[in-house]
Amino acid sequence: MFEHLEQIEKRYVEIEQDLTKQEVLSDIKQTRILSKELSELESVVNCYREYKKVEKEITETKEMLKDKDLEDIAKEELVTLEPKKEELERKLEILLIPKDPNDNKNVIVEIRGAAGGDEANIFAGDLFRMYTRYAEKKGFKYDVYNAIEGDAGGFSQIEFMIKGEGAYSKFKYESGSHRVQRVPVTESNGRLQTSTATVLVMPEAEEVDIEIKQSDLRIDIYRSSGCGGQGVNTTDSAVRITHLPTNTVVTCQNERSQIQNKEQAMKVLKTRLYELELEKKEKEEGNERRSKIGTGDRAEKIRTYNYPQNRVTDHRIGYTTKNLDRVIDGDLDDIIEALITEDQARKLAGEK
């Protein structure tokens, strides 16, 4: 590990030196690439330098043990320094875990009401509100590009993009089936009901990720039925794009203009095709999904929201909290941090 850390620090110093050279600074693209690499290495290098500093202090303090006048002071300092060294070493191990290349990307989220009729759609609406509130707390922005409202409220289907650096790193564990247990507002007899909604989270595809041929597309234009502001339902602005080779269909109807809807639909189509490519690659390599925390499939039951007991349970890691009211209001930090910590622990244990 420490040989690797030395190489990282050496590379960090090289980049710092390169970024002082005029020939590099005059090349905007090269400057951007090097600055990004420097930023990615910074946390590791800073931690490693702190580790080396503490290690040096420990060595010097142990030398003080040989002096009887300084022995007691040295022992006191070692009580603080040695645990600090161990803590920094654990931190370095985590920092050296290979990063998910998609972690800093925007995400596209699809939520659908599943089992439970009207109540499933209402719950899908609750999940949408939960995720968008969490996104706002994190400083992310979101745009809805397609929504089909439920008859009793919520959504039978809603698709939206969450924009912000690190969005995928926070939302990537949310794919799967979410289950709610409560007395629905539509239930006149006061009986407890279990309903489900499914969530799919995908990293937004970049231009370099996937190429789409125009000849592979069928584009249909029709009148929007969604809510997109005054005038959206009176013009043929909604766009449906079908990728013929994979039969992947994307619909966007929430923007005012046909051009805007088409641009948004193409972004989503690229993301879906990128996701298909990732799945194909993983199957060919015999790997599981990108995260070992669950499979990422819609069918996998990942979490239960029990309203009578104000309880949320994540079944993948056995995590339970009695703060459902806060969680459904967007306070997802504790659950997501628990998932990240478990994922890191499994990777450190060799589950790569």
Side-chain angles (χ1 to χ4, degrees), residues 145 224 232 237-239 241 252-266:
Y145 62 86
S224 172
V232 77
S237 60
V239 175
I241 301 178
C252 185
Q253 58 178 331
N254 277 32
E255 300 293 343
R256 280 175 172 265
S257 77
Q258 184 186 126
I259 293 173
Q260 288 174 318
N261 280 324
K262 184 179 177 182
E263 288 176 354
Q264 186 70 280
M266 283 301 296

Side-chain angles (χ1 to χ4, degrees), residues 170-339:
K170 299 296 185 184
F171 284 90
K172 66 181 176 180
Y173 303 104
E174 294 303 301
S175 289
S177 178
H178 295 242
R179 183 174 69 172
V180 63
Q181 295 173 326
R182 64 186 176 190
V183 178
V185 293
T186 55
E187 174 57 61
S188 58
N189 296 320
R191 291 177 297 184
L192 190 71
Q193 180 177 319
T194 299
S195 305
T196 59
T198 60
V199 176
L200 178 63
V201 177
M202 299 172 286
E204 182 188 16
E206 298 175 349
E207 291 296 325
V208 295
D209 290 332
I210 196 155
E211 185 180 345
I212 300 175
K213 296 178 182 177
Q214 281 298 123
S215 59
D216 288 339
L217 301 179
R218 186 179 72 234
I219 301 175
D220 300 308
I221 309 298
Y222 61 99
R223 187 154 296 180
S224 172
S225 60
C227 49
Q230 187 177 3
V232 77
N233 298 317
T234 59
T235 58
D236 292 335
S237 60
V239 175
R240 181 189 301 111
I241 301 178
T242 304
H243 185 251
L244 300 172
T246 61
N247 199 32
T248 300
V249 181
V250 172
T251 300
C252 185
Q253 58 178 331
N254 277 32
E255 300 293 343
R256 280 175 172 265
S257 77
Q258 184 186 126
I259 293 173
Q260 288 174 318
N261 280 324
K262 184 179 177 182
E263 288 176 354
Q264 186 70 280
M266 283 301 296
K267 282 185 183 180
V268 178
L269 179 61
K270 285 179 180 178
T271 293
R272 288 194 180 179
L273 295 178
Y274 178 55
E275 184 76 359
L276 288 173
E277 283 295 315
L278 290 175
E279 288 178 7
K280 180 182 176 183
K281 183 179 178 183
E282 285 157 9
K283 285 177 182 177
E284 288 173 353
E285 294 175 354
N287 296 332
E288 294 184 23
R289 298 284 294 173
R290 287 179 299 284
S291 170
K292 295 289 287 185
I293 304 294
T295 63
D297 294 330
R298 279 191 190 271
E300 182 193 19
K301 183 181 75 176
I302 66 168
R303 196 174 296 148
T304 296
Y305 305 74
N306 184 296
Y307 274 73
Q309 297 179 26
N310 197 39
R311 185 184 73 228
V312 180
T313 300
D314 195 291
H315 304 290
R316 296 163 295 177
I317 60 173
Y319 177 91
T320 296
T321 177
K322 291 292 188 75
N323 295 315
L324 183 150
D325 52 335
R326 288 168 51 190
V327 169
I328 210 71
D329 196 40
D331 190 0
L332 283 167
D333 277 324
D334 288 348
I335 293 177
I336 288 175
E337 287 305 315
L339 287 161

